[in-house]
Amino acid sequence: MAKLFSKIYIEITNYCNLNCSFCSIDNRIKKEMSVDEFNIVIKKIKKYTDNVYLHVKGEPLLHSRLDQILKICNDNNINVSITTNGTLLDKKIDILLNRKIKQINVSLHSENNISNYFDEVFKSCDKLSNNTTIIYRIWVLNKISPIIVDKIKNYYKLSTDIVNKIKIEKNIKIDNNIYVDKDIEFVWPNDGSCQSDKGTCLGTRSHIAILSNGDIVPCCLDSSANIKLGNIFHDDLDTVINSKLFNDIKNGFQNGIIVCDLCRKCTYRKRFEKKLVS
């Protein structure tokens, strides 16, 4: 029987080793979710999903107990995906190879000063791709994107046809279990100026997100918990999904009505709506 959510985002830490200009600014207390806390999260959510994404804000590979975090997922038969800036892949390669990971998304557009960044990322991902799907992510309108495509082309010795596909299409396979995906850089909803009472989204319908302090929010773009649905350490998920706020948001999206102010400002939601129409 299908579970309620296709995935749940879990922010195991909101610490990051970079300070990229495109990342939203918030005043949240920096926190690493403890192994015991993560275990509580998994026990409470596994009834509702088979897939977790270690991603909201922060760099998940910074977590001091990453191996234990992944082990908990494996022990509970939860598929785990990771979104990373890639700077720590080589340092955590043994841990990543030792655990079952469904997918690793590498944001190649991260702003870092590592001189051999691309070679280190590509070499690490080549090793990981034997058992894990690798997705290289690029923002197409970012000024560095042509340089990134060139780096990928040279390392993987791609043909002109494949390079052209990368430039105009999404999710292009370039090697065994390795893909390139791209999107337009988005504005975080708390910074957005878009205002609309009409529209839809998959937040609360296919996924939710859990922040490092346990706060439950409708999606991974609510990084500041503007729409707090509850707290996983204090509330059962049954209580959350049966709450008036949760169902107002969900029913609103199902009927093309935007309930929350944050969602009205979300430019990513507008992009998602265009995909539904197309």
Side-chain angles (χ1 to χ4, degrees):
M1 185 174 66
K3 296 194 175 181
L4 183 62
F5 300 115
S6 62
K7 59 181 173 285
I8 292 180
Y9 294 91
I10 305 176
E11 181 185 72
I12 57 174
T13 178
N14 62 347
Y15 286 98
C16 190
N17 57 338
L18 299 180
N19 187 28
C20 299
S21 60
F22 51 76
C23 198
S24 66
I25 299 173
D26 60 61
N27 296 316
R28 292 167 53 207
I29 296 172
K30 297 299 181 185
K31 183 184 186 306
E32 177 181 280
M33 192 179 288
S34 72
V35 171
D36 288 341
E37 288 174 332
F38 186 77
N39 201 33
I40 291 170
V41 172
I42 294 300
K43 287 185 182 302
K44 285 192 173 186
I45 71 172
K46 66 180 183 179
K47 169 184 173 183
Y48 301 93
T49 191
D50 293 320
N51 301 285
V52 300
Y53 279 59
L54 304 185
H55 170 61
V56 176
K57 295 284 291 294
E59 170 51 52
L61 299 190
L62 273 177
H63 199 285
S64 61
R65 306 287 294 281
L66 180 65
D67 188 51
Q68 288 91 332
I69 294 291
L70 297 175
K71 183 178 186 299
I72 291 171
C73 293
N74 291 173
D75 288 348
N76 285 274
N77 296 314
I78 297 288
N79 298 315
V80 57
S81 297
I82 298 173
T83 297
T84 174
N85 59 39
T87 57
L88 300 174
L89 282 171
D90 59 324
K91 293 181 176 62
K92 299 298 179 83
I93 190 73
D94 290 339
I95 292 174
L96 297 173
L97 287 171
N98 190 48
R99 298 298 177 190
K100 184 179 179 182
I101 302 171
K102 181 180 180 181
Q103 182 172 306
I104 298 179
N105 308 309
V106 187
S107 301
L108 293 181
H109 48 256
S110 66
E111 298 170 355
N112 65 82
N113 296 315
I114 302 173
S115 59
N116 59 342
Y117 168 76
F118 290 101
D119 282 342
E120 290 296 333
V121 167
F122 296 153
K123 288 175 183 176
S124 295
C125 287
D126 282 349
K127 296 175 184 177
L128 291 162
S129 65
N130 289 323
N131 298 301
T132 301
T133 298
I134 302 295
I135 308 290
Y136 293 137
R137 289 181 169 176
I138 306 172
W139 279 340
V140 293
L141 296 184
N142 190 294
K143 62 182 179 182
I144 197 176
S145 56
I147 297 173
I148 298 173
V149 172
D150 199 47
K151 294 284 186 181
I152 295 172
K153 171 191 173 183
N154 292 336
Y155 183 87
Y156 288 98
K157 297 179 173 54
L158 301 181
S159 67
T160 302
D161 287 344
I162 295 297
V163 173
N164 288 337
K165 282 186 177 181
I166 290 174
K167 291 178 180 179
I168 62 176
E169 299 178 23
K170 290 177 63 67
N171 208 33
I172 302 302
K173 185 175 183 179
I174 61 170
D175 207 342
N176 182 46
N177 284 339
I178 301 180
Y179 299 79
V180 177
D181 199 11
K182 60 188 186 301
D183 210 339
I184 299 171
E185 183 176 344
F186 64 88
V187 177
W188 288 82
N190 48 311
D191 298 325
S193 57
C194 174
Q195 289 284 351
S196 176
D197 292 327
K198 307 295 182 182
T200 188
C201 184
L202 290 179
T204 67
R205 298 169 63 194
S206 73
H207 64 270
I208 55 173
I210 298 171
L211 305 183
S212 58
N213 65 354
D215 285 346
I216 303 168
V217 294
C219 79
C220 64
L221 293 185
D222 187 6
S223 62
S224 296
N226 286 284
I227 310 171
K228 183 177 176 180
L229 301 170
N231 187 286
I232 197 68
F233 302 135
H234 308 301
D235 304 311
D236 289 328
L237 211 47
D238 270 335
T239 302
V240 171
I241 64 177
N242 287 304
S243 68
K244 183 180 185 301
L245 176 58
F246 183 95
N247 283 285
D248 282 349
I249 295 170
K250 182 177 180 179
N251 293 334
F253 285 146
Q254 288 175 334
N255 292 290
I257 300 170
I258 307 302
V259 172
C260 299
D261 287 340
L262 187 74
C263 301
R264 295 188 183 105
K265 299 177 183 178
C266 183
T267 57
Y268 195 86
R269 173 185 60 76
K270 298 293 288 184
R271 187 184 317 170
F272 164 75
E273 289 166 357
K274 289 179 181 178
K275 290 179 183 178
L276 285 183
V277 172
S278 61

